[in-house]
Amino acid sequence: MIPRQPGRPDVLTFGETMVALRGSGPLKLGGTMQVSIAGAESNVAIGLARLGHDVRWAGAVGEDEAGELVLRTLRAEGIGVSGAATDPGAPTGLLLFEPRLPEVTRVHYYRAGSAGSRLTAGVVERAFSAAPPRVLHLTGITPALSPTAHSAARHALQLAKDHGSLVCLDVNFRARLWTAEQAAGILREWIPYVDVLIASDDELPLCLPEGAGGAGSPGEAGPPDEAGSPDEAGSPGGSHGIDEAQGVEKAQGVEGAEGAQGTVRAPQRATHGAAATLASQAKLLLDLGVREVVVKLGADGATAFTHGGSLHQPAKAVRAVDAVGAGDAFVAGYLSALLDDEEPAGCLERAVTTGAFAVASHGDWEGAPTRSELGMLGAPPGTVVR
């Protein structure tokens, strides 16, 4: 990894961040809603900033009050947003959270044709010109938003290569944005640029060479990141009428946290055959040039594969409150430790810790810990910190 240099941020990430409205029950019954923001990449950015890293976010928001809220919130969290663009011709995206059962939340998206989906390569170019990052963090959500967003992400990969930035890719497959085949076609092209690949076990086949495991279809609900569930219908080349699509977020399969007293999901230990398959898939990716393959296993924790072998880290037991954003928190923890020159064991430990904080807190990013708070999970129940 590139050593720290004055004026060079630790991490640059970009993508769409939306205004999030959280209800307390069925939307059709009305009631009050809490206003916040949500976006996979900005969730990671906030998590890293809370841990003391210099982070920049680039994206596009509408020239509206919702866009001002996005930028104001990120600035308040200590994230540089000078590379963000304001689009006067499109609104900031919106999503609505609708709790229906203790472990089931519906998420309604209004993001098609939004400013964030119209992100262009120029935004990324300006961000790199201002200050090339040590790490570029991407997700598989951005290229699925639109052809221009796909081009921006692809350009970012080339810029990262040109400037020697480490590239981290979180697959974050969203079945309502594109098909597994569409995702695999793009992700396979990206793999030669990727240094750290993070994926759930059912997303990993999307990154494998054609014919080496195929573009299997990950679970339709996807991991509970960014706003919990799959995004709206469409594809990189799809239409952009303002529409609504609905996903279902179940508080299950959380990276880095095993439910306790409000169980998220009982861990399902991987069979020997499944573990062997995972290892062989990781080896294929390592042979293609990926340095670290990190597989999120929900309540079973996570496993990291490198050329030196593999290492598993069990999840942390916490009282499950809200699974939304857990995967993004996991990524923030992993990258934070990586920036601190930790070995894979230290990266996994911090990742499952930050993931557990997300599960134990309401919201996408609100519960992200500061560096001084990382040790709080080990405190006995009823502890009062004075």
Side-chain angles (χ1 to χ4, degrees), residues 10 44-55 77 329 331-337 340 350-351 354 368-374:
D10 289 329
V44 173
I46 291 172
L48 284 164
R50 294 258 181 108
L51 292 169
H53 299 285
D54 182 6
V55 188
E77 290 292 332
V331 173
Y334 197 92
L335 284 180
S336 170
D340 290 346
R350 190 174 301 178
T354 51
T370 62
R371 191 171 290 257
S372 64
E373 293 172 331
L374 289 173

Side-chain angles (χ1 to χ4, degrees), residues 39-248:
E41 298 82 8
S42 56
N43 291 347
V44 173
I46 291 172
L48 284 164
R50 294 258 181 108
L51 292 169
H53 299 285
D54 182 6
V55 188
R56 310 289 167 86
W57 176 86
V61 297
E63 196 172 81
D64 48 34
E65 292 299 298
E68 287 297 323
L69 174 62
V70 169
L71 298 179
R72 179 179 181 275
T73 301
L74 294 179
R75 282 194 296 263
E77 290 292 332
I79 296 165
V81 295
S82 59
T86 300
D87 186 342
T92 302
L94 170 69
L95 60 93
L96 308 177
F97 291 91
E98 180 188 22
R100 291 301 290 118
L101 294 170
E103 293 185 1
V104 178
T105 297
R106 289 195 292 222
V107 185
H108 306 269
Y109 291 82
Y110 300 83
R111 89 193 292 183
S114 66
S117 71
R118 292 169 24 143
L119 178 73
T120 66
V123 172
V124 177
E125 182 76 45
R126 288 192 294 273
F128 267 86
S129 298
R134 297 175 65 202
V135 175
L136 170 69
H137 174 62
L138 296 175
T139 76
I141 296 172
T142 302
L145 295 176
S146 70
T148 59
H150 171 215
S151 296
R154 180 62 182 79
H155 187 52
L157 289 171
Q158 185 60 52
L159 289 171
K161 181 179 180 180
D162 295 344
H163 289 88
S165 302
L166 181 145
V167 174
C168 173
L169 170 64
D170 182 6
V171 172
N172 249 328
F173 177 70
R174 294 291 181 260
R176 295 197 180 190
L177 272 178
W178 54 357
T179 67
E181 290 71 23
Q182 289 172 322
I186 288 176
L187 295 174
R188 287 168 181 157
E189 293 179 359
W190 285 12
I191 288 301
Y193 294 87
V194 175
D195 298 293
V196 178
L197 177 67
I198 301 178
S200 61
D201 52 352
D202 61 346
E203 291 174 331
L204 205 59
L206 297 176
C207 303
L208 299 178
E210 192 168 6
S217 186
E220 294 226 349
D225 300 352
E226 188 238 344
S229 57
D231 300 300
E232 67 278 9
S235 66
S239 61
H240 290 292
I242 295 295
D243 61 359
E244 173 195 354
Q246 173 178 299
V248 177

